[in-house]
Amino acid sequence: MNWLVDFFGDPANWSGSDGIPVRLAEHLQFSAVALLLAMLLALPLGLWIGHTGRGALLVVLSADAARE
C-alpha cells in the first residue's frame, strides 16, 4: 500500500508526456472512441431489428460469438 502513496505522491508522475493527467486523458479518449464505435454499430441495428423484427437471430448469434 505504501508504494501507491509513493507513486501518487511523487511529483515526477504528474508531469511530462508519461504523467498521470496525460495518461488519464488518453484513456478517456480511447474509451470515448470505443463507445462511439459501439453506438454507431448497435443503435442502427437495434432500431432496425426493433422495427422490422428481422435479423434478430443473426445479430444475437454474432454478438454472442464476439463475446467469446
Side-chain angles (χ1 to χ4, degrees):
M1 182 71 172
N2 195 24
W3 67 270
L4 192 60
V5 173
D6 291 339
F7 178 79
F8 284 109
D10 187 1
N13 293 328
W14 289 92
S15 61
S17 62
D18 286 336
I20 293 171
V22 173
R23 294 298 182 189
L24 177 63
E26 186 179 55
H27 175 75
L28 291 174
Q29 182 181 9
F30 285 144
S31 297
V33 169
L35 182 62
L36 179 65
L37 290 174
M39 287 172 48
L40 287 174
L41 180 68
L43 283 175
L45 280 174
L47 290 172
W48 181 67
I49 290 169
H51 182 69
T52 64
R54 295 187 321 205
L57 181 62
L58 178 65
V59 171
V60 169
L61 291 175
S62 298
D64 190 39
R67 287 180 25 192
E68 304 204 13

